[in-house]
Amino acid sequence: MKVGFIGAGTVTGTFGRHLLTAGHSIVVSNSRGPETLADFVADLGSGAIAGTKQQAAECDVVILATNWVRVADALKGVDWRGRILVDATNAHMDAVPDISLAGVTRSRAALKGRTSSEMVAEMAVGARLVKSISNMPMAWIKDFSLNKPRTVIFTSGDDHEAKQLVIELINSTGLVAVDLGFLATGGAMHEVGAPLSGLDLHFVRRLR
């Protein structure tokens, strides 16, 4: 599968490597242009190329991996109708995320009772939005070996087909996607500061 990333930070560098190891290809974009990404994609290795935001958005799946304060600008200028967009952001209201209890509490209060992914869905009109790859620090999934832990990646979304494709994509890397249902309910359980955020869980077995 070909996966586009909007944003070239820790999420792209980490989850992108898991995708490449699993045999997928990726297109990495940022706000400054592909010419600034040569070293970044070279470090990722074969299968990664730099591109524009439009080129990333043309991939089978697009992963939004910017800081929350840049989300609106990152989504502009793309016709999102029908595209599968994975929201891998966390709604930190500061340019430099404040992960202290006070910082997380302030960020959650700014959402005014809504989930951050519902807000992203409104900004990316028509996108088939899936919330995923955001419930833990990327430092926890830096093992890219074949025998790495089967770390749980929570996933939610309203479009069943799009969500299932994202689940299959995550599972193909050796990580394990767990479906938490719709954006409004599932997203509320695994966005920043929620009960299932910041938990390092490893999948063992499933009853059904």
Side-chain angles (χ1 to χ4, degrees), residues 38-92:
D39 290 342
F40 188 89
V41 296
D43 184 59
L44 282 170
S46 178
I49 64 170
T52 64
K53 178 169 66 175
Q54 295 289 347
Q55 289 170 324
E58 291 169 0
C59 293
D60 302 309
V61 172
V62 189
I63 298 177
L64 178 64
T66 65
N67 285 346
W68 177 256
V69 294
R70 299 192 181 102
V71 165
D73 285 339
L75 293 171
K76 285 180 181 176
V78 175
D79 182 356
W80 290 106
R81 287 176 296 182
R83 301 183 192 274
I84 298 176
L85 177 64
V86 178
D87 175 21
T89 68
N90 279 304
H92 295 287

Side-chain angles (χ1 to χ4, degrees), residues 81 154 208:
R81 287 176 296 182
F154 293 118
R208 54 185 173 83

Side-chain angles (χ1 to χ4, degrees), residues 23-207:
H24 303 286
S25 61
I26 66 174
V27 177
V28 181
S29 70
N30 66 6
S31 60
R32 295 173 293 151
E35 64 278 0
T36 67
L37 292 168
D39 290 342
F40 188 89
V41 296
D43 184 59
L44 282 170
S46 178
I49 64 170
T52 64
K53 178 169 66 175
Q54 295 289 347
Q55 289 170 324
E58 291 169 0
C59 293
D60 302 309
V61 172
V62 189
I63 298 177
L64 178 64
T66 65
N67 285 346
W68 177 256
V69 294
R70 299 192 181 102
V71 165
D73 285 339
L75 293 171
K76 285 180 181 176
V78 175
D79 182 356
W80 290 106
R81 287 176 296 182
R83 301 183 192 274
I84 298 176
L85 177 64
V86 178
D87 175 21
T89 68
N90 279 304
H92 295 287
M93 299 301 162
D94 303 308
V96 177
D98 182 354
I99 61 172
S100 69
L101 177 59
V104 170
T105 300
R106 184 174 65 254
S107 293
R108 286 184 63 80
L111 296 175
K112 298 181 178 178
R114 305 175 67 206
T115 67
S116 59
S117 287
E118 288 177 293
M119 298 171 72
V120 173
E122 289 182 0
M123 289 184 269
V125 178
R128 303 165 69 190
L129 194 77
V130 179
K131 173 71 171 175
S132 193
I133 322 170
S134 61
N135 60 279
M136 68 182 63
M138 290 294 102
W140 293 1
I141 54 170
K142 288 284 190 179
D143 185 345
F144 305 104
S145 66
L146 293 177
N147 60 346
K148 62 177 172 277
R150 301 181 69 199
T151 303
V152 171
I153 305 294
F154 293 118
T155 305
S156 57
D158 298 339
D159 185 309
H160 177 75
E161 184 181 30
K163 182 169 57 176
Q164 193 58 41
L165 190 147
V166 172
I167 286 172
E168 291 171 4
L169 180 67
I170 292 169
N171 289 347
S172 75
T173 69
L175 305 171
V176 178
V178 172
D179 185 357
L180 291 183
F182 296 110
L183 279 181
T185 52
M189 289 191 284
H190 65 106
E191 67 180 9
V192 65
L196 296 180
S197 175
L199 297 179
D200 189 4
L201 303 177
H202 297 167
F203 183 84
V204 176
R205 57 187 168 184
R206 188 189 304 271
L207 181 61

